[in-house]
Amino acid sequence: MVLTDEQELLLRASRGDITAYGELVGRHQSRVFNVAFRMMGRRRDAEDAAQDAFLRAFRALDRFDVTRPFGPWIKRITVNVCLNSLESSSTKLQTSVSDIDRDDGPSFGMDRWSHPDPTPEQALLAKERSGSVRFAILRLPPLYRAVIELRHFQEMRYDEIASSIDRPLSSVKSDLFRARRLLRAYMNEERSLT
Amino acid sequence: MEHLDEALLHEYLDGLLDQPSRLDVEAHLLGCSACSDELAALQTLFDQLAGVTDLTLTTDVAEVVVSKLEASRLEVSRKRPGIEHSPVWTRLALSFQLGMALVMVVGLWPTIRARLPAISWNFEHAIEGLRLSFPLEWEEVASGTASLASEFFLSWPSLDLASGQWILLLGLSLLAWLWGNRLLFTYNLNGGNHGRSS
C-alpha cells in the first residue's frame, strides 16, 4: 500500500519519531490555533490549548488509524481540550471586543474571501465583522461554542458532533439550535448599538 | 396557517433533510412569508459565520510541542524504570502478591519452626547425596516439603510426579512469576505498551 506524505509522517510519529510529529504539527498548527482561538478568545490561551491538543494527540497516536486524515481528528481533540479547560476554569473567560480587535491582524492567507486581494476598506469591514461574530460566539456558554465550531467551522454532521463531544444526538440538535438563536440575538444587539 | 417547525428550517439549511422533506419545506416557503423571513435571517447568520477570517499564528507551536516531547522522553529515560512509573493496577498486583507471600509465611511459620531440624536434615542429606552419588535424592526433599505442606491448614493437592518433573514444574513456575513481574515493572506509560522503542 502506497502511503501519502502525511500518512508516512503519521506512521513514523506513531512509532515514536518526534521529528516526524514535529513536521506534522507544523502543517496543522495554524488551523488548530484558529479552532482554539474561536473557542478560547485569547491568543495566549489558544496557543496553550493548541499545544495541549498536539501533546495529547501524540500520546494517542498508536491507536490512530494512519489512513484517516489527521486534520479533522486533531481539530476535534482541540475542541474537547478547550471545552474541558473552559468548563473546569473557575472564572469563565470574558473577552471584550477590544481584546479581539487587538488580536485580529490583517491576515488573509487563509481567509474565506472569494477574491485574493481585498481592498483596504473591505479588509477593515471583514475585520470588524469577524470581530463582531467572534465576540458573539465567545458570549455563548462553552458547550454552545463547541457545537457552533464543530458544525460551522469543521462542517461535521449532527451525529459526528454528538460522538465528538459525547452527547446524545437530540441534545446536540437542541444545543445547536439554541446557540444559533442566541448568536442572532447577540448580533442584532450589536447592530442596534452601532 | 401553520408554520414550519424551527428545527426543520435548521436542518433544511444544514442540508440534512431527505428529498421529500426538502420539497415539502420549499413548497411551504413559497406561500409563507413568516417562514421565509425566518429562513433568510438564519441564512444571514450562516453567512456571517462563514465570513469569519482566520488569524495568523505568531508563535511556533511545533517547536514548543517537540521540545516538550523530547524533554518528557529524557525525563522518563533518566529515571530508573520501576514501580513508581507503573500504573496503579500493577502496584496493586504486586501488593497482592507480597500480601499472599506474607500470609503464607506467617501461616506456615509455626510448622516451619517445628520442622526445621527435619528440613535441615533433609537438605543436608540431599547435599550429601549431591556430593556422594547420583541420582540426587530429591525424593527426600520432596517428601519433607510435602509433609510440611500437610501441616498447613489448607490441604494441598497431591501430585504423583517424578522428582525431575517436580523440578521442572517449580522451575517453570518461578520463571513465569519472575517474567510476569518484570513485565509489570517495565510498563511504558507513554504508549501503554511494553518496551516501546524511541
Side-chain angles (χ1 to χ4, degrees), chain A residues 14 16 18 22 29 34 37-38 43 47 51 58 62 104 107 112 130 134 151 158 177 180-181 184, chain B residues 6-7 10 14 16 38 46 50 52-56 59-62 66 68-69 73 191 196:
Chain A
S14 69
I18 294 177
Q29 61 182 0
N34 274 284
F37 188 79
R38 285 191 291 267
R43 188 171 278 273
E47 287 166 4
Q51 284 169 26
F58 182 76
D62 56 343
D104 251 6
S107 59
R112 299 162 199 257
S130 269
R134 245 190 258 280
R151 177 68 205 124
Y158 297 166
F177 302 160
R180 285 166 172 169
R181 216 180 297 136
R184 278 173 56 188
Chain B
E6 191 194 353
H10 286 266
D14 282 331
L16 298 175
E38 181 63 21
F46 278 40
V52 172
T53 54
D54 283 336
L55 302 186
T56 303
T59 59
D60 191 353
V61 171
V66 164
K68 281 186 176 178
L69 287 173
R73 182 163 287 170
R196 186 178 176 194

mmCIF file of all heavy atoms in Angstrom, chain A residues 14 16 18 22 29 34 37-38 43 47 51 58 62 104 107 112 130 134 151 158 177 180-181 184, chain B residues 6-7 10 14 16 38 46 50 52-56 59-62 66 68-69 73 191 196:
data_model
loop_
_atom_site.group_PDB
_atom_site.id
_atom_site.type_symbol
_atom_site.label_atom_id
_atom_site.label_comp_id
_atom_site.label_asym_id
_atom_site.label_seq_id
_atom_site.Cartn_x
_atom_site.Cartn_y
_atom_site.Cartn_z
ATOM 1 N N SER A 14 3.725 7.650 14.988
ATOM 2 C CA SER A 14 3.050 6.671 15.849
ATOM 3 C C SER A 14 4.050 5.676 16.436
ATOM 4 O O SER A 14 3.782 5.013 17.431
ATOM 5 C CB SER A 14 1.962 5.919 15.073
ATOM 6 O OG SER A 14 2.535 5.064 14.116
ATOM 7 N N GLY A 16 6.904 6.696 17.520
ATOM 8 C CA GLY A 16 7.700 7.461 18.470
ATOM 9 C C GLY A 16 8.647 8.479 17.861
ATOM 10 O O GLY A 16 9.432 9.092 18.585
ATOM 11 N N ILE A 18 9.682 11.749 17.055
ATOM 12 C CA ILE A 18 9.244 13.097 17.437
ATOM 13 C C ILE A 18 9.474 14.093 16.299
ATOM 14 O O ILE A 18 8.674 15.015 16.099
ATOM 15 C CB ILE A 18 9.967 13.553 18.727
ATOM 16 C CG1 ILE A 18 9.536 12.674 19.905
ATOM 17 C CG2 ILE A 18 9.684 15.007 19.036
ATOM 18 C CD1 ILE A 18 10.226 12.989 21.212
ATOM 19 N N GLY A 22 6.807 16.540 14.737
ATOM 20 C CA GLY A 22 7.018 17.982 14.681
ATOM 21 C C GLY A 22 6.647 18.549 13.318
ATOM 22 O O GLY A 22 6.037 19.617 13.213
ATOM 23 N N GLN A 29 -0.623 23.447 12.652
ATOM 24 C CA GLN A 29 -0.683 24.311 13.829
ATOM 25 C C GLN A 29 -1.542 25.558 13.627
ATOM 26 O O GLN A 29 -2.257 25.976 14.550
ATOM 27 C CB GLN A 29 0.735 24.710 14.272
ATOM 28 C CG GLN A 29 1.527 25.483 13.257
ATOM 29 C CD GLN A 29 2.937 25.797 13.784
ATOM 30 O OE1 GLN A 29 3.311 25.434 14.904
ATOM 31 N NE2 GLN A 29 3.728 26.469 12.964
ATOM 32 N N ASN A 34 -6.460 28.410 15.214
ATOM 33 C CA ASN A 34 -7.686 29.161 14.945
ATOM 34 C C ASN A 34 -8.912 28.494 15.564
ATOM 35 O O ASN A 34 -9.818 29.178 16.039
ATOM 36 C CB ASN A 34 -7.870 29.366 13.441
ATOM 37 C CG ASN A 34 -7.128 30.594 12.954
ATOM 38 O OD1 ASN A 34 -7.571 31.729 13.162
ATOM 39 N ND2 ASN A 34 -5.975 30.390 12.336
ATOM 40 N N PHE A 37 -8.628 29.481 19.125
ATOM 41 C CA PHE A 37 -8.903 30.897 19.360
ATOM 42 C C PHE A 37 -10.399 31.186 19.315
ATOM 43 O O PHE A 37 -10.905 31.998 20.101
ATOM 44 C CB PHE A 37 -8.165 31.760 18.329
ATOM 45 C CG PHE A 37 -8.244 33.227 18.638
ATOM 46 C CD1 PHE A 37 -7.420 33.786 19.604
ATOM 47 C CD2 PHE A 37 -9.168 34.041 18.004
ATOM 48 C CE1 PHE A 37 -7.507 35.139 19.906
ATOM 49 C CE2 PHE A 37 -9.259 35.395 18.309
ATOM 50 C CZ PHE A 37 -8.433 35.939 19.256
ATOM 51 N N ARG A 38 -11.094 30.543 18.409
ATOM 52 C CA ARG A 38 -12.554 30.751 18.354
ATOM 53 C C ARG A 38 -13.227 30.243 19.624
ATOM 54 O O ARG A 38 -14.251 30.764 20.032
ATOM 55 C CB ARG A 38 -13.134 30.033 17.127
ATOM 56 C CG ARG A 38 -12.854 30.745 15.817
ATOM 57 C CD ARG A 38 -13.664 30.167 14.682
ATOM 58 N NE ARG A 38 -13.224 28.826 14.321
ATOM 59 C CZ ARG A 38 -12.334 28.548 13.368
ATOM 60 N NH1 ARG A 38 -11.778 29.540 12.674
ATOM 61 N NH2 ARG A 38 -12.013 27.301 13.081
ATOM 62 N N ARG A 43 -5.392 34.932 22.641
ATOM 63 C CA ARG A 43 -4.308 34.326 21.870
ATOM 64 C C ARG A 43 -3.474 33.374 22.726
ATOM 65 O O ARG A 43 -3.198 32.240 22.320
ATOM 66 C CB ARG A 43 -3.432 35.435 21.289
ATOM 67 C CG ARG A 43 -2.387 34.969 20.329
ATOM 68 C CD ARG A 43 -1.710 36.136 19.641
ATOM 69 N NE ARG A 43 -2.475 36.631 18.520
ATOM 70 C CZ ARG A 43 -2.382 36.158 17.281
ATOM 71 N NH1 ARG A 43 -1.555 35.177 17.014
ATOM 72 N NH2 ARG A 43 -3.110 36.665 16.303
ATOM 73 N N GLU A 47 -3.036 29.377 22.192
ATOM 74 C CA GLU A 47 -1.747 28.720 21.934
ATOM 75 C C GLU A 47 -1.518 27.578 22.921
ATOM 76 O O GLU A 47 -1.079 26.491 22.542
ATOM 77 C CB GLU A 47 -0.601 29.733 22.036
ATOM 78 C CG GLU A 47 -0.537 30.695 20.854
ATOM 79 C CD GLU A 47 0.368 31.886 21.111
ATOM 80 O OE1 GLU A 47 1.009 31.943 22.191
ATOM 81 O OE2 GLU A 47 0.431 32.774 20.237
ATOM 82 N N GLN A 51 -1.189 23.599 21.970
ATOM 83 C CA GLN A 51 -0.047 22.764 22.407
ATOM 84 C C GLN A 51 -0.549 21.525 23.132
ATOM 85 O O GLN A 51 -0.110 20.406 22.868
ATOM 86 C CB GLN A 51 0.852 23.549 23.366
ATOM 87 C CG GLN A 51 1.739 24.570 22.705
ATOM 88 C CD GLN A 51 2.387 25.471 23.735
ATOM 89 O OE1 GLN A 51 2.569 25.082 24.898
ATOM 90 N NE2 GLN A 51 2.739 26.670 23.326
ATOM 91 N N PHE A 58 -0.346 13.111 20.351
ATOM 92 C CA PHE A 58 0.864 12.280 20.224
ATOM 93 C C PHE A 58 0.738 11.027 21.082
ATOM 94 O O PHE A 58 1.111 9.926 20.654
ATOM 95 C CB PHE A 58 2.100 13.082 20.619
ATOM 96 C CG PHE A 58 3.384 12.314 20.471
ATOM 97 C CD1 PHE A 58 3.937 12.105 19.217
ATOM 98 C CD2 PHE A 58 4.041 11.796 21.570
ATOM 99 C CE1 PHE A 58 5.115 11.388 19.064
ATOM 100 C CE2 PHE A 58 5.215 11.084 21.428
ATOM 101 C CZ PHE A 58 5.762 10.881 20.181
ATOM 102 N N ASP A 62 -0.701 5.905 18.750
ATOM 103 C CA ASP A 62 -0.573 4.468 18.488
ATOM 104 C C ASP A 62 -1.936 3.817 18.267
ATOM 105 O O ASP A 62 -2.023 2.710 17.738
ATOM 106 C CB ASP A 62 0.198 3.782 19.617
ATOM 107 C CG ASP A 62 -0.444 4.025 20.968
ATOM 108 O OD1 ASP A 62 -1.264 4.946 21.079
ATOM 109 O OD2 ASP A 62 -0.117 3.292 21.917
ATOM 110 N N ASP A 104 -6.812 40.568 16.282
ATOM 111 C CA ASP A 104 -7.089 40.426 14.853
ATOM 112 C C ASP A 104 -6.075 41.192 14.044
ATOM 113 O O ASP A 104 -6.042 42.417 14.092
ATOM 114 C CB ASP A 104 -8.487 40.983 14.552
ATOM 115 C CG ASP A 104 -9.448 39.869 14.231
ATOM 116 O OD1 ASP A 104 -9.072 38.709 14.349
ATOM 117 O OD2 ASP A 104 -10.575 40.165 13.864
ATOM 118 N N SER A 107 -4.675 39.375 8.293
ATOM 119 C CA SER A 107 -4.172 38.080 7.815
ATOM 120 C C SER A 107 -5.173 37.496 6.843
ATOM 121 O O SER A 107 -6.285 37.144 7.220
ATOM 122 C CB SER A 107 -3.964 37.134 8.975
ATOM 123 O OG SER A 107 -5.165 36.942 9.668
ATOM 124 N N ARG A 112 -11.712 33.547 3.891
ATOM 125 C CA ARG A 112 -12.771 32.944 3.093
ATOM 126 C C ARG A 112 -13.278 33.876 1.990
ATOM 127 O O ARG A 112 -14.332 33.670 1.426
ATOM 128 C CB ARG A 112 -13.933 32.558 4.011
ATOM 129 C CG ARG A 112 -13.518 31.543 5.057
ATOM 130 C CD ARG A 112 -14.521 31.535 6.173
ATOM 131 N NE ARG A 112 -13.957 30.942 7.383
ATOM 132 C CZ ARG A 112 -14.224 29.711 7.807
ATOM 133 N NH1 ARG A 112 -15.049 28.951 7.165
ATOM 134 N NH2 ARG A 112 -13.682 29.233 8.891
ATOM 135 N N SER A 130 -15.789 40.119 11.423
ATOM 136 C CA SER A 130 -15.223 38.945 12.090
ATOM 137 C C SER A 130 -15.188 39.154 13.586
ATOM 138 O O SER A 130 -15.528 38.260 14.353
ATOM 139 C CB SER A 130 -13.791 38.691 11.608
ATOM 140 O OG SER A 130 -13.789 37.832 10.516
ATOM 141 N N ARG A 134 -17.026 36.872 16.188
ATOM 142 C CA ARG A 134 -16.173 36.195 17.177
ATOM 143 C C ARG A 134 -16.623 36.528 18.592
ATOM 144 O O ARG A 134 -16.710 35.646 19.456
ATOM 145 C CB ARG A 134 -14.723 36.648 16.996
ATOM 146 C CG ARG A 134 -13.781 35.581 16.554
ATOM 147 C CD ARG A 134 -12.366 36.109 16.659
ATOM 148 N NE ARG A 134 -11.834 36.492 15.381
ATOM 149 C CZ ARG A 134 -11.348 35.627 14.502
ATOM 150 N NH1 ARG A 134 -11.347 34.350 14.760
ATOM 151 N NH2 ARG A 134 -10.872 36.041 13.354
ATOM 152 N N ARG A 151 -19.982 22.439 13.895
ATOM 153 C CA ARG A 151 -20.928 22.436 12.767
ATOM 154 C C ARG A 151 -20.509 23.417 11.684
ATOM 155 O O ARG A 151 -20.459 23.068 10.512
ATOM 156 C CB ARG A 151 -22.336 22.773 13.295
ATOM 157 C CG ARG A 151 -23.398 22.863 12.209
ATOM 158 C CD ARG A 151 -23.707 21.528 11.544
ATOM 159 N NE ARG A 151 -24.239 21.773 10.207
ATOM 160 C CZ ARG A 151 -23.733 21.278 9.070
ATOM 161 N NH1 ARG A 151 -22.687 20.466 9.098
ATOM 162 N NH2 ARG A 151 -24.245 21.571 7.911
ATOM 163 N N TYR A 158 -24.556 16.216 12.508
ATOM 164 C CA TYR A 158 -25.022 16.198 13.900
ATOM 165 C C TYR A 158 -24.516 14.964 14.652
ATOM 166 O O TYR A 158 -24.092 15.058 15.812
ATOM 167 C CB TYR A 158 -26.559 16.190 13.959
ATOM 168 C CG TYR A 158 -27.250 17.399 13.373
ATOM 169 C CD1 TYR A 158 -28.620 17.370 13.109
ATOM 170 C CD2 TYR A 158 -26.570 18.574 13.073
ATOM 171 C CE1 TYR A 158 -29.289 18.462 12.584
ATOM 172 C CE2 TYR A 158 -27.225 19.671 12.531
ATOM 173 C CZ TYR A 158 -28.579 19.605 12.292
ATOM 174 O OH TYR A 158 -29.245 20.691 11.755
ATOM 175 N N PHE A 177 -29.416 24.565 17.862
ATOM 176 C CA PHE A 177 -30.487 25.497 17.502
ATOM 177 C C PHE A 177 -30.529 26.653 18.494
ATOM 178 O O PHE A 177 -30.708 27.815 18.113
ATOM 179 C CB PHE A 177 -31.837 24.775 17.447
ATOM 180 C CG PHE A 177 -31.876 23.614 16.486
ATOM 181 C CD1 PHE A 177 -32.843 22.630 16.602
ATOM 182 C CD2 PHE A 177 -30.938 23.487 15.471
ATOM 183 C CE1 PHE A 177 -32.878 21.553 15.716
ATOM 184 C CE2 PHE A 177 -30.956 22.411 14.584
ATOM 185 C CZ PHE A 177 -31.934 21.436 14.711
ATOM 186 N N ARG A 180 -27.587 29.039 17.881
ATOM 187 C CA ARG A 180 -27.814 29.920 16.730
ATOM 188 C C ARG A 180 -28.791 31.033 17.092
ATOM 189 O O ARG A 180 -28.626 32.180 16.681
ATOM 190 C CB ARG A 180 -28.366 29.108 15.554
ATOM 191 C CG ARG A 180 -27.311 28.244 14.873
ATOM 192 C CD ARG A 180 -27.950 27.240 13.962
ATOM 193 N NE ARG A 180 -26.965 26.518 13.161
ATOM 194 C CZ ARG A 180 -27.255 25.431 12.441
ATOM 195 N NH1 ARG A 180 -28.495 24.959 12.419
ATOM 196 N NH2 ARG A 180 -26.304 24.825 11.746
ATOM 197 N N ARG A 181 -29.804 30.674 17.867
ATOM 198 C CA ARG A 181 -30.793 31.687 18.289
ATOM 199 C C ARG A 181 -30.098 32.770 19.111
ATOM 200 O O ARG A 181 -30.334 33.968 18.916
ATOM 201 C CB ARG A 181 -31.881 30.996 19.108
ATOM 202 C CG ARG A 181 -33.270 31.567 18.895
ATOM 203 C CD ARG A 181 -34.324 30.858 19.715
ATOM 204 N NE ARG A 181 -34.471 29.457 19.341
ATOM 205 C CZ ARG A 181 -34.580 28.442 20.225
ATOM 206 N NH1 ARG A 181 -34.550 28.665 21.511
ATOM 207 N NH2 ARG A 181 -34.726 27.210 19.794
ATOM 208 N N ARG A 184 -27.881 35.006 16.933
ATOM 209 C CA ARG A 184 -28.673 36.006 16.195
ATOM 210 C C ARG A 184 -29.055 37.170 17.112
ATOM 211 O O ARG A 184 -28.978 38.338 16.715
ATOM 212 C CB ARG A 184 -29.944 35.360 15.636
ATOM 213 C CG ARG A 184 -29.721 34.617 14.326
ATOM 214 C CD ARG A 184 -30.937 33.855 13.902
ATOM 215 N NE ARG A 184 -32.118 34.698 13.799
ATOM 216 C CZ ARG A 184 -33.333 34.208 13.595
ATOM 217 N NH1 ARG A 184 -33.535 32.898 13.486
ATOM 218 N NH2 ARG A 184 -34.365 35.014 13.510
ATOM 219 N N GLU B 6 -39.179 25.087 13.787
ATOM 220 C CA GLU B 6 -37.877 25.761 13.679
ATOM 221 C C GLU B 6 -36.761 24.764 13.359
ATOM 222 O O GLU B 6 -35.855 25.058 12.560
ATOM 223 C CB GLU B 6 -37.571 26.486 14.991
ATOM 224 C CG GLU B 6 -36.372 27.418 14.881
ATOM 225 C CD GLU B 6 -35.866 27.854 16.245
ATOM 226 O OE1 GLU B 6 -36.529 27.541 17.252
ATOM 227 O OE2 GLU B 6 -34.812 28.479 16.299
ATOM 228 N N ALA B 7 -36.843 23.591 13.980
ATOM 229 C CA ALA B 7 -35.802 22.579 13.761
ATOM 230 C C ALA B 7 -35.719 22.187 12.281
ATOM 231 O O ALA B 7 -34.625 21.934 11.759
ATOM 232 C CB ALA B 7 -36.083 21.353 14.614
ATOM 233 N N HIS B 10 -33.636 24.684 10.396
ATOM 234 C CA HIS B 10 -32.213 24.473 10.664
ATOM 235 C C HIS B 10 -31.684 23.301 9.846
ATOM 236 O O HIS B 10 -30.629 23.391 9.209
ATOM 237 C CB HIS B 10 -31.984 24.205 12.153
ATOM 238 C CG HIS B 10 -32.105 25.417 13.022
ATOM 239 N ND1 HIS B 10 -31.009 26.186 13.376
ATOM 240 C CD2 HIS B 10 -33.169 26.002 13.595
ATOM 241 C CE1 HIS B 10 -31.416 27.189 14.150
ATOM 242 N NE2 HIS B 10 -32.724 27.097 14.296
ATOM 243 N N ASP B 14 -28.927 23.136 6.936
ATOM 244 C CA ASP B 14 -27.758 22.283 7.149
ATOM 245 C C ASP B 14 -27.657 21.203 6.082
ATOM 246 O O ASP B 14 -26.685 20.441 6.065
ATOM 247 C CB ASP B 14 -27.823 21.616 8.540
ATOM 248 C CG ASP B 14 -27.429 22.578 9.657
ATOM 249 O OD1 ASP B 14 -26.627 23.489 9.379
ATOM 250 O OD2 ASP B 14 -27.916 22.408 10.794
ATOM 251 N N LEU B 16 -29.556 18.565 5.698
ATOM 252 C CA LEU B 16 -29.688 17.234 6.294
ATOM 253 C C LEU B 16 -31.076 16.614 6.106
ATOM 254 O O LEU B 16 -31.346 15.561 6.661
ATOM 255 C CB LEU B 16 -29.352 17.315 7.800
ATOM 256 C CG LEU B 16 -27.928 17.769 8.099
ATOM 257 C CD1 LEU B 16 -27.716 17.949 9.585
ATOM 258 C CD2 LEU B 16 -26.907 16.778 7.542
ATOM 259 N N GLU B 38 -37.841 34.031 8.386
ATOM 260 C CA GLU B 38 -37.086 33.300 9.415
ATOM 261 C C GLU B 38 -35.913 32.572 8.766
ATOM 262 O O GLU B 38 -34.784 32.587 9.280
ATOM 263 C CB GLU B 38 -38.028 32.312 10.118
ATOM 264 C CG GLU B 38 -37.389 31.490 11.221
ATOM 265 C CD GLU B 38 -36.878 32.297 12.393
ATOM 266 O OE1 GLU B 38 -37.334 33.447 12.580
ATOM 267 O OE2 GLU B 38 -36.007 31.790 13.123
ATOM 268 N N PHE B 46 -25.685 32.183 9.033
ATOM 269 C CA PHE B 46 -24.773 31.191 8.445
ATOM 270 C C PHE B 46 -23.694 31.906 7.621
ATOM 271 O O PHE B 46 -22.514 31.544 7.689
ATOM 272 C CB PHE B 46 -25.551 30.224 7.540
ATOM 273 C CG PHE B 46 -26.237 29.102 8.271
ATOM 274 C CD1 PHE B 46 -26.863 29.302 9.479
ATOM 275 C CD2 PHE B 46 -26.260 27.822 7.717
ATOM 276 C CE1 PHE B 46 -27.500 28.261 10.145
ATOM 277 C CE2 PHE B 46 -26.902 26.771 8.376
ATOM 278 C CZ PHE B 46 -27.527 26.993 9.582
ATOM 279 N N ALA B 50 -19.677 32.012 8.203
ATOM 280 C CA ALA B 50 -18.771 31.604 7.128
ATOM 281 C C ALA B 50 -17.767 32.691 6.788
ATOM 282 O O ALA B 50 -16.705 32.410 6.222
ATOM 283 C CB ALA B 50 -19.574 31.226 5.884
ATOM 284 N N VAL B 52 -16.096 34.559 8.932
ATOM 285 C CA VAL B 52 -15.077 34.783 9.966
ATOM 286 C C VAL B 52 -13.700 34.438 9.402
ATOM 287 O O VAL B 52 -13.489 33.348 8.866
ATOM 288 C CB VAL B 52 -15.366 33.920 11.220
ATOM 289 C CG1 VAL B 52 -14.210 33.991 12.219
ATOM 290 C CG2 VAL B 52 -16.660 34.370 11.871
ATOM 291 N N THR B 53 -12.786 35.406 9.516
ATOM 292 C CA THR B 53 -11.457 35.184 8.955
ATOM 293 C C THR B 53 -10.539 34.514 9.979
ATOM 294 O O THR B 53 -10.765 34.593 11.186
ATOM 295 C CB THR B 53 -10.822 36.523 8.540
ATOM 296 O OG1 THR B 53 -10.842 37.407 9.666
ATOM 297 C CG2 THR B 53 -11.599 37.152 7.395
ATOM 298 N N ASP B 54 -9.505 33.872 9.473
ATOM 299 C CA ASP B 54 -8.532 33.224 10.355
ATOM 300 C C ASP B 54 -7.442 34.203 10.755
ATOM 301 O O ASP B 54 -7.148 35.155 10.033
ATOM 302 C CB ASP B 54 -7.897 32.019 9.654
ATOM 303 C CG ASP B 54 -8.828 30.819 9.620
ATOM 304 O OD1 ASP B 54 -9.723 30.741 10.481
ATOM 305 O OD2 ASP B 54 -8.658 29.969 8.741
ATOM 306 N N LEU B 55 -6.857 33.941 11.914
ATOM 307 C CA LEU B 55 -5.749 34.763 12.394
ATOM 308 C C LEU B 55 -4.426 34.107 12.022
ATOM 309 O O LEU B 55 -4.361 32.901 11.767
ATOM 310 C CB LEU B 55 -5.804 34.891 13.920
ATOM 311 C CG LEU B 55 -7.053 35.472 14.546
ATOM 312 C CD1 LEU B 55 -6.832 35.637 16.036
ATOM 313 C CD2 LEU B 55 -7.405 36.811 13.919
ATOM 314 N N THR B 56 -3.380 34.920 12.043
ATOM 315 C CA THR B 56 -2.045 34.390 11.797
ATOM 316 C C THR B 56 -1.450 33.931 13.124
ATOM 317 O O THR B 56 -1.497 34.655 14.115
ATOM 318 C CB THR B 56 -1.149 35.483 11.190
ATOM 319 O OG1 THR B 56 -1.771 35.972 9.995
ATOM 320 C CG2 THR B 56 0.229 34.953 10.861
ATOM 321 N N THR B 59 3.419 32.366 17.027
ATOM 322 C CA THR B 59 4.442 31.556 17.711
ATOM 323 C C THR B 59 4.559 30.208 17.005
ATOM 324 O O THR B 59 3.630 29.803 16.300
ATOM 325 C CB THR B 59 4.085 31.295 19.184
ATOM 326 O OG1 THR B 59 2.832 30.622 19.228
ATOM 327 C CG2 THR B 59 4.023 32.582 19.965
ATOM 328 N N ASP B 60 5.693 29.546 17.212
ATOM 329 C CA ASP B 60 5.892 28.242 16.583
ATOM 330 C C ASP B 60 5.453 27.160 17.570
ATOM 331 O O ASP B 60 6.239 26.723 18.424
ATOM 332 C CB ASP B 60 7.360 28.065 16.191
ATOM 333 C CG ASP B 60 7.570 26.859 15.305
ATOM 334 O OD1 ASP B 60 6.604 26.082 15.102
ATOM 335 O OD2 ASP B 60 8.705 26.668 14.826
ATOM 336 N N VAL B 61 4.194 26.747 17.434
ATOM 337 C CA VAL B 61 3.657 25.729 18.349
ATOM 338 C C VAL B 61 4.416 24.407 18.179
ATOM 339 O O VAL B 61 4.672 23.694 19.147
ATOM 340 C CB VAL B 61 2.144 25.532 18.081
ATOM 341 C CG1 VAL B 61 1.594 24.341 18.836
ATOM 342 C CG2 VAL B 61 1.373 26.798 18.446
ATOM 343 N N ALA B 62 4.798 24.115 16.938
ATOM 344 C CA ALA B 62 5.509 22.858 16.650
ATOM 345 C C ALA B 62 6.802 22.765 17.458
ATOM 346 O O ALA B 62 7.123 21.716 18.026
ATOM 347 C CB ALA B 62 5.797 22.746 15.163
ATOM 348 N N VAL B 66 7.521 19.868 20.202
ATOM 349 C CA VAL B 66 8.665 18.961 20.033
ATOM 350 C C VAL B 66 9.596 19.035 21.246
ATOM 351 O O VAL B 66 10.030 18.003 21.767
ATOM 352 C CB VAL B 66 9.428 19.293 18.727
ATOM 353 C CG1 VAL B 66 10.805 18.651 18.718
ATOM 354 C CG2 VAL B 66 8.625 18.842 17.519
ATOM 355 N N LYS B 68 8.844 19.889 24.280
ATOM 356 C CA LYS B 68 8.192 19.279 25.451
ATOM 357 C C LYS B 68 8.229 17.756 25.359
ATOM 358 O O LYS B 68 8.464 17.064 26.356
ATOM 359 C CB LYS B 68 6.734 19.755 25.567
ATOM 360 C CG LYS B 68 6.600 21.141 26.154
ATOM 361 C CD LYS B 68 5.162 21.525 26.393
ATOM 362 C CE LYS B 68 5.121 22.884 27.068
ATOM 363 N NZ LYS B 68 3.755 23.360 27.294
ATOM 364 N N LEU B 69 8.025 17.218 24.153
ATOM 365 C CA LEU B 69 8.049 15.767 23.985
ATOM 366 C C LEU B 69 9.456 15.226 24.239
ATOM 367 O O LEU B 69 9.619 14.191 24.887
ATOM 368 C CB LEU B 69 7.583 15.377 22.578
ATOM 369 C CG LEU B 69 6.084 15.514 22.307
ATOM 370 C CD1 LEU B 69 5.783 15.266 20.840
ATOM 371 C CD2 LEU B 69 5.283 14.552 23.167
ATOM 372 N N ARG B 73 10.596 12.695 27.266
ATOM 373 C CA ARG B 73 11.262 11.433 26.943
ATOM 374 C C ARG B 73 12.579 11.325 27.708
ATOM 375 O O ARG B 73 12.918 10.261 28.230
ATOM 376 C CB ARG B 73 11.524 11.342 25.451
ATOM 377 C CG ARG B 73 12.176 10.033 25.045
ATOM 378 C CD ARG B 73 12.038 9.803 23.577
ATOM 379 N NE ARG B 73 10.675 9.438 23.231
ATOM 380 C CZ ARG B 73 10.216 9.362 21.987
ATOM 381 N NH1 ARG B 73 10.993 9.659 20.987
ATOM 382 N NH2 ARG B 73 8.972 9.012 21.742
ATOM 383 N N GLY B 191 3.172 5.002 25.890
ATOM 384 C CA GLY B 191 2.316 4.405 24.875
ATOM 385 C C GLY B 191 1.439 3.311 25.442
ATOM 386 O O GLY B 191 0.565 2.801 24.770
ATOM 387 N N ARG B 196 8.343 -0.038 24.279
ATOM 388 C CA ARG B 196 8.187 0.786 23.076
ATOM 389 C C ARG B 196 9.491 1.512 22.819
ATOM 390 O O ARG B 196 10.000 2.229 23.666
ATOM 391 C CB ARG B 196 7.056 1.790 23.301
ATOM 392 C CG ARG B 196 6.742 2.578 22.075
ATOM 393 C CD ARG B 196 5.599 3.493 22.350
ATOM 394 N NE ARG B 196 5.349 4.340 21.198
ATOM 395 C CZ ARG B 196 4.591 5.425 21.236
ATOM 396 N NH1 ARG B 196 4.034 5.796 22.345
ATOM 397 N NH2 ARG B 196 4.385 6.152 20.172
#
